[in-house]
Amino acid sequence: MTWSVITNYLAEHWLELAGTVATVLGIWLTTRRLLICWPVVLAADFLYLAVFYRARLFSDALLQVFFVAFTLYGWWHWWRGVQADGEVRVVPLPLRGWLAGLAAGAVGAVLLGWLMVRIGAALPHLDAALTSYSLVASWWGARKHIANWWLWIAVDLIYIGEYLYKDLRVTAALYAGLVVLAVLGLREMAACAGRSLNRCLHHIMQRLAVHIAAQLAGRGTQRARRKLRARSGNVRRD
């Protein structure tokens, strides 16, 4: 491979490469639950908006627009959590949230697939389904639900095949790396959830101990008062 080939490749794919670097860095920072992840992810959103539009993957291009909105929301929501708790805490997702998210993804896939067919997008139904469920995963991530990583792993694995088919090899390699990062993020958030549960149990035990101590102290005070009254009564009778 000569320098001219490398130079030509960089000139042709610099936007995709820049988006790849920004995305990897942003997701890695997210797995570490660092607030600085959000401006980096925002830059990646804009870069891949241009990449997907040029590849005529209109569902993915539209997805980046929603990603920008979700990134701004996630940035604000995490920042508020840090201000309140001093750290980014994991929030559990109840079964009702799982079902609602998966149902919303299915409805979005059908509606967006119909739209993508109308405008002549490549791989309209597959791309629409992946776009819809990526939005669900992004919303869960912005809300600090650990379930977002499970959904990202499933979506990213399918994206790898799609991008290989579209000859976006750098992006396919990126999504293979994102699967690894999603696994790391899952492990980190699971560990964080465990630590949060331990802190919660410790706090409950502390409050319970204080409550029991207060009850015992109150009973002791009542007994002392009854003894004092009894002694006072005996003195008066004498």
Side-chain angles (χ1 to χ4, degrees):
M1 181 178 293
T2 63
W3 281 110
S4 61
V5 174
I6 297 175
T7 303
N8 290 336
Y9 182 85
L10 293 176
E12 184 177 353
H13 296 278
W14 70 269
L15 199 61
E16 186 181 2
L17 292 169
T20 298
V21 172
T23 300
V24 170
L25 179 59
I27 299 300
W28 180 79
L29 291 171
T30 303
T31 66
R32 307 304 300 171
R33 295 181 295 115
L34 297 175
L35 194 60
I36 196 176
C37 71
W38 292 108
V40 178
V41 171
L42 187 63
D45 292 340
F46 281 112
L47 288 168
Y48 265 104
L49 172 61
V51 170
F52 292 137
Y53 183 81
R54 290 169 61 178
R56 295 183 60 81
L57 289 171
F58 298 134
S59 290
D60 284 333
L62 179 62
L63 174 63
Q64 301 307 308
V65 175
F66 286 103
F67 276 173
V68 169
F70 284 173
T71 298
L72 292 173
Y73 171 77
W75 193 352
W76 170 80
H77 189 66
W78 281 35
W79 175 83
R80 189 179 66 170
V82 169
Q83 295 298 310
D85 302 325
E87 63 176 347
V88 178
R89 292 194 175 183
V90 179
V91 179
L93 181 64
L95 178 60
R96 183 175 61 181
W98 269 97
L99 297 177
L102 296 178
V107 172
V110 173
L111 296 178
L112 189 57
W114 175 83
L115 178 61
M116 292 301 106
V117 170
R118 299 272 301 203
I119 66 177
L123 304 175
H125 294 293
L126 175 62
D127 202 37
L130 293 174
T131 296
S132 183
Y133 281 108
S134 293
L135 290 174
V136 175
S138 296
W139 174 251
W140 286 352
R143 298 294 299 173
K144 299 179 287 186
H145 295 314
I146 191 173
N148 88 93
W149 295 114
W150 287 108
L151 189 53
W152 274 127
I153 291 170
V155 169
D156 289 346
L157 284 171
I158 301 174
Y159 263 130
I160 293 172
E162 181 188 56
Y163 292 140
L164 286 174
Y165 177 80
K166 290 296 295 181
D167 200 30
L168 294 173
R169 297 181 181 180
V170 174
T171 302
L174 164 64
Y175 273 74
L178 293 184
V179 171
V180 176
L181 288 175
V183 173
L184 294 177
L186 178 62
R187 292 179 57 186
E188 174 65 23
M189 273 200 167
C192 175
R195 291 193 297 269
S196 297
L197 178 60
N198 289 335
R199 284 195 297 267
C200 181
L201 291 175
H202 180 68
H203 181 65
I204 291 173
M205 293 302 295
Q206 281 185 326
R207 294 193 63 178
L208 182 60
V210 170
H211 177 73
I212 292 174
Q215 291 293 322
L216 292 175
R219 292 177 182 177
T221 302
Q222 290 176 358
R223 290 175 183 172
R225 287 176 179 174
R226 285 196 295 268
K227 289 181 179 179
L228 181 60
R229 289 173 185 172
R231 291 177 181 176
S232 299
N234 293 332
V235 170
R236 290 173 184 174
R237 284 195 294 270
D238 294 341

